[in-house]
Amino acid sequence: DGGITQSPKYLFRKEGQNVTLSCEQNLNHDAMYWYRQDPGQGLRLIYYSQIVNDFQKGDIAEGYSVSREKKESFPLTVTSAQKNPTAFYLCASSIGTAPTKDTGELFFGEGSRLTVL
Amino acid sequence: AQSVTQLDSQVPVFEEAPVELRCNYSSSVSVYLFWYVQYPNQGLQLLLKYLSGSTLVKGINGFEAEFNKSQTSFHLRKPSVHISDTAEYFCAVSAPTGRRALTFGSGTRLQVQP
């Protein structure tokens, strides 16, 4: 089955630690995204990547970092600089590249819930 | 840039009653519009989308939405809800050019009561 796999599903972190959330897709999509979800605030864009070896900051990139070394993978690192990292993180992908084909429709993973102790 | 406003944070409704979840958007260019559903601790699933053409769009699970350009709205409706429709619903918008990432509303929690 084609889809997006996020791991781990639940993660606990002590203050001051960096953590990396994994996101893998086998949909052959060019574009990948990371969103953060907090109660009552909807989804906010952290980073996105429209092609391998390239990525752009979203609306709330401070305290986060990403890499896109392979088409299938887009890991997100939550650094110790992120002041309030406890949240639900969602990875998504879209067709990307060809504007005439890509409507922006996103396909989502199941999410990773990060709790800072 | 685009923005989305979902006017109701929570909508309680009795089973088998009709429901409407409201969504308004703001954009200086033409847009694509989406409704997604999220069940607890899960990712988002596409319900329906408007790209062009007929302004009445039908989706999965008996939902439909109507695009109204003059009112910049894209309200979601279902004529008869089930307990299983209890979930969070998100309206989202993207533009054909520029940043392609979807912009989401803050969500509406639909609570279906027996």
Side-chain angles (χ1 to χ4, degrees):
Chain A
D1 278 317
I4 299 179
T5 301
Q6 290 187 239
S7 62
K9 191 167 178 65
Y10 298 95
L11 184 61
F12 298 90
R13 187 194 93 174
K14 293 182 181 179
E15 282 193 26
Q17 288 181 334
N18 291 355
V19 293
T20 297
L21 307 181
S22 170
C23 179
E24 303 277 332
Q25 57 102 355
N26 60 5
L27 299 168
N28 199 33
H29 285 170
D30 286 306
M32 296 187 74
Y33 308 80
W34 276 104
Y35 285 88
R36 171 181 169 139
Q37 184 177 16
D38 296 283
Q41 295 194 47
L43 280 70
R44 293 180 291 167
L45 183 66
I46 305 173
Y47 268 98
Y48 63 105
S49 167
Q50 293 180 310
I51 200 165
V52 175
N53 293 322
D54 187 45
F55 49 83
Q56 287 79 40
K57 292 181 179 179
D59 302 317
I60 56 164
E62 185 175 350
Y64 299 98
S65 66
V66 293
S67 62
R68 186 85 188 279
E69 297 175 2
K70 299 187 299 182
K71 186 175 183 177
E72 313 82 63
S73 178
F74 190 42
L76 173 74
T77 297
V78 184
T79 75
S80 56
Q82 169 49 233
K83 293 186 180 3
N84 185 20
T86 294
F88 191 53
Y89 291 89
L90 287 158
C91 179
S93 69
S94 70
I95 293 173
T97 54
T100 55
K101 292 183 180 179
D102 188 4
T103 62
E105 178 182 346
L106 296 180
F107 297 79
F108 283 87
E110 292 291 294
S112 293
R113 185 168 297 281
L114 172 63
T115 303
V116 174
L117 303 174
Chain B
Q2 301 84 40
S3 67
V4 178
T5 302
Q6 291 185 243
L7 298 161
D8 306 296
S9 59
Q10 293 188 63
V11 173
V13 63
F14 288 107
E15 194 173 18
E16 298 184 5
V19 71
E20 177 180 83
L21 306 184
R22 297 180 293 169
C23 172
N24 285 89
Y25 69 92
S26 173
S27 177
S28 58
V29 299
S30 60
V31 295
Y32 303 129
L33 292 156
F34 305 82
W35 274 100
Y36 283 84
V37 61
Q38 184 183 35
Y39 300 101
N41 291 311
Q42 292 187 24
L44 276 68
Q45 178 184 2
L46 182 70
L47 273 178
L48 49 78
K49 60 188 175 185
Y50 172 78
L51 306 180
S52 64
S54 172
T55 57
L56 184 62
V57 180
K58 293 192 183 297
I60 63 171
N61 301 340
F63 284 93
E64 63 181 31
E66 185 155 21
F67 171 59
N68 188 319
K69 188 174 182 179
S70 63
Q71 297 187 7
T72 60
S73 68
F74 190 55
H75 300 333
L76 181 70
R77 301 186 184 101
K78 187 169 182 178
S80 176
V81 295
H82 302 291
I83 296 286
S84 59
D85 292 322
T86 295
E88 188 101 26
Y89 292 80
F90 292 96
C91 182
V93 62
S94 72
T97 58
R99 192 175 91 171
R100 310 310 313 284
L102 290 186
T103 298
F104 286 85
S106 56
T108 297
R109 174 84 179 149
L110 177 63
Q111 297 169 303
V112 181
Q113 303 163 357

